[in-house]
Amino acid sequence: MNNDLMTMAPSHSPSTRKRRDGATPDKPPKLNKTKRPKSSREAPSASYWESCLWATMKYILYACGALMVPPILNLAALNQEETVIKQNGGLPYDIGWNQNLFLNCTGEGSPTVILEAPVGQSSEVWYAVQPALAEVTRVCSYDRAGLGLSDRSYKNSTDEDQKRRGPESTVERMVTDLHYLITASSDQPKPFILVGAEMGSIVARFYAQLYEEEVSDVVLVDPLVEVLFEEEDGVWRKMWYGHTMPYGVLAQLAASTGLTRIGLILKLLNLPIKAQGIPEEVILRQKHLMCRPSHQSASVDEHYFTNETFSQIRTAYKVKPFPKSVSVTIVTGNYHDDELPNVLNEAWEFSLEFLESIHPDAKRIRINGSDGHMIYRRPGELVDIVKKLVRRWRDSNRPKGKPAPTDDS
């Protein structure tokens, strides 16, 4: 039985067994040669890469052109607008050091009213006040260095005379520039009634400290006070340097790239002066200055160096008391800005209490229903206050025997 099974089983001897790969002891196995399929896509040629390179460069040039066109067009528009704006009044006056300041004087007579704008703003904020005061006396408004149509200071670190003018964009430099402008450069009739709004009020006070013989009165409109950043745990300092300053830097960048002009064309931006019935020439000037990088840069600097300005006015009061021959009038509304939170308006009010404490003889006038924008929203009340000061000075300096005038002149 076992022999039968052995007979039926297939032979597994090495001589007769064939492997699956076809190999036998006498024949080596066949190697399967796998054919690599032909690629349906051949390698890119050199001309293909050249075309891709040129296409990429073309798009880069388009992008660069798109970025360069707005600032170039903005610069051309600024040059054209400046010619028109200068025809609306005012002249550049050389104050020395290769620097011109823009001054606009109207009206005749003494005393001369000098109008000082708020921080970072130019003389057009007085568009409603100046014509009304010019009916009775001489009135001058001007642009501080770098603002409006005035030149920035020529930087020369080796000029010792310029160093004595004080750091740029601080009240010491502002007062020195103003003194040269209204005396040596343009020789305006004295005495001066200095009317300053916000930062302009510090300029008015500092000027009266240094040149008291030239000043009869100062009018401080919604004044900025040197203790403001200390009130209410420094809430104004945080606002000033945490919000206002960064916004100013963005405005400067937008002006430099021409984006501000595009925003104005598309009516996406508002003018700094918000009032009814603004003359067209003032609107043109406002738009022009919003698109002018040098103006925006000077505005940022005035904000940035406000702390230094506060330090300088403190030092001035320590060195010398405020002259008693100069009257002080403080004009405010019910609050600084009706669009700001109450805590900021309260801190502003506390700073005014300090101002009254160092000027105990000052006259405080509150215009109900108004705020710091009164110089162009409620100009009539401010004009009346200044006119009274003009009449008072004329009455006290009228020759004996000469009758008083019957009108506001």
Side-chain angles (χ1 to χ4, degrees):
M1 182 174 177
N2 291 337
N3 292 336
D4 293 340
L5 290 173
M6 292 178 65
T7 304
M8 295 176 61
S11 175
H12 293 286
S13 65
S15 61
T16 60
R17 186 173 66 225
K18 183 182 280 188
R19 286 166 35 187
R20 290 181 181 178
D21 55 7
T24 63
D26 302 329
K27 188 176 180 180
K30 294 180 179 180
L31 297 177
N32 293 329
K33 295 182 179 180
T34 304
K35 292 184 178 181
R36 183 175 297 174
K38 291 184 177 181
S39 175
S40 59
R41 191 174 180 182
E42 296 183 357
S45 62
S47 61
Y48 169 78
W49 290 114
E50 289 179 1
S51 63
C52 290
L53 178 62
W54 281 112
T56 303
M57 292 180 63
K58 179 175 67 175
Y59 288 122
I60 292 175
L61 290 174
Y62 286 160
C64 292
L67 293 175
M68 292 176 63
V69 167
I72 292 175
L73 293 179
N74 182 56
L75 180 60
L78 288 174
N79 292 333
Q80 184 177 6
E81 291 166 354
E82 185 172 338
T83 303
V84 176
I85 290 172
K86 287 182 177 179
Q87 295 174 354
N88 293 330
L91 292 170
Y93 283 84
D94 184 3
I95 64 168
W97 305 283
N98 295 322
Q99 185 180 10
N100 292 331
L101 295 187
F102 184 80
L103 177 69
N104 181 23
C105 294
T106 53
E108 298 295 336
S110 296
T112 301
V113 178
I114 307 296
L115 303 174
E116 272 283 351
V119 60
Q121 298 189 46
S122 53
S123 55
E124 75 274 0
V125 297
W126 301 105
Y127 74 90
V129 172
Q130 182 162 355
L133 289 175
E135 296 175 358
V136 298
T137 195
R138 183 78 165 167
V139 188
C140 297
S141 61
Y142 79 107
D143 296 334
R144 291 191 291 268
L147 296 173
L149 301 180
S150 289
D151 297 339
R152 296 210 68 161
S153 175
Y154 175 71
K155 291 181 172 60
N156 185 353
S157 59
T158 63
D159 190 341
E160 294 297 329
D161 194 26
Q162 180 166 309
K163 288 181 180 179
R164 287 195 294 269
R165 297 165 64 196
E168 192 175 3
S169 301
T170 65
V171 67
E172 186 177 352
R173 173 67 68 89
M174 297 173 193
V175 166
T176 305
D177 289 351
L178 176 61
H179 179 65
Y180 278 103
L181 177 65
I182 59 180
T183 57
S185 297
S186 63
D187 193 21
Q188 300 302 323
K190 300 181 184 66
F192 303 132
I193 297 178
L194 304 178
V195 181
E198 202 185 71
M199 174 69 79
S201 65
I202 293 185
V203 177
R205 291 165 56 199
F206 202 96
Y207 194 102
Q209 284 277 67
L210 294 183
Y211 308 106
E212 61 179 281
E213 69 281 356
E214 299 177 5
V215 182
S216 63
D217 309 89
V218 296
V219 180
L220 314 177
V221 184
D222 196 38
L224 186 65
V225 186
E226 55 268 29
V227 298
L228 179 64
F229 287 171
E230 303 168 8
E231 302 291 349
E232 296 291 313
D233 296 325
V235 63
W236 262 104
R237 179 193 295 271
K238 299 171 185 176
M239 172 75 173
W240 202 269
Y241 292 107
H243 175 76
T244 307
M245 273 283 300
Y247 178 82
V249 172
L250 288 176
Q252 180 184 351
L253 178 62
S256 301
T257 56
L259 295 178
T260 300
R261 189 169 295 276
I262 295 175
L264 289 171
I265 292 173
L266 298 178
K267 298 183 178 180
L268 300 176
L269 300 175
N270 295 322
L271 298 178
I273 296 179
K274 301 175 183 178
Q276 300 294 328
I278 304 177
E280 285 298 323
E281 59 269 19
V282 176
I283 294 176
L284 173 62
R285 182 176 162 109
Q286 284 279 284
K287 291 180 178 179
H288 172 83
L289 296 181
M290 288 178 67
C291 299
R292 190 181 178 106
S294 60
H295 171 83
Q296 298 297 337
S297 174
S299 176
V300 169
D301 287 347
E302 283 198 356
H303 282 87
Y304 181 79
F305 289 105
T306 298
N307 236 345
E308 179 69 18
T309 287
F310 286 167
S311 177
Q312 290 173 357
I313 192 70
R314 282 192 180 100
T315 302
Y317 274 68
K318 290 179 181 178
V319 172
K320 175 186 173 184
F322 192 84
K324 294 185 178 298
S325 59
V326 179
S327 77
V328 179
T329 304
I330 303 172
V331 183
T332 64
N334 299 105
Y335 26 72
H336 169 61
D337 191 331
D338 60 359
E339 297 180 359
L340 291 178
N342 288 334
V343 64
L344 293 173
N345 284 314
E346 290 173 358
W348 194 280
E349 182 63 30
F350 290 150
S351 72
L352 294 178
E353 294 176 3
F354 170 81
L355 182 62
E356 290 182 281
S357 71
I358 61 176
H359 290 281
D361 297 329
K363 182 178 181 181
R364 174 81 178 268
I365 300 176
R366 191 186 301 272
I367 301 176
N368 290 323
S370 67
D371 60 5
H373 303 287
M374 70 178 77
I375 58 178
Y376 43 81
R377 291 180 181 173
R378 300 274 298 273
E381 288 88 343
L382 178 60
V383 168
D384 290 340
I385 292 169
V386 178
K387 281 183 176 181
K388 289 179 181 178
L389 295 175
V390 172
R391 288 197 300 267
R392 188 179 71 181
W393 181 87
R394 288 177 177 173
D395 289 342
S396 62
N397 290 274
R398 183 179 300 108
K400 292 182 179 179
K402 184 177 180 179
T406 57
D407 56 358
D408 286 339
S409 61

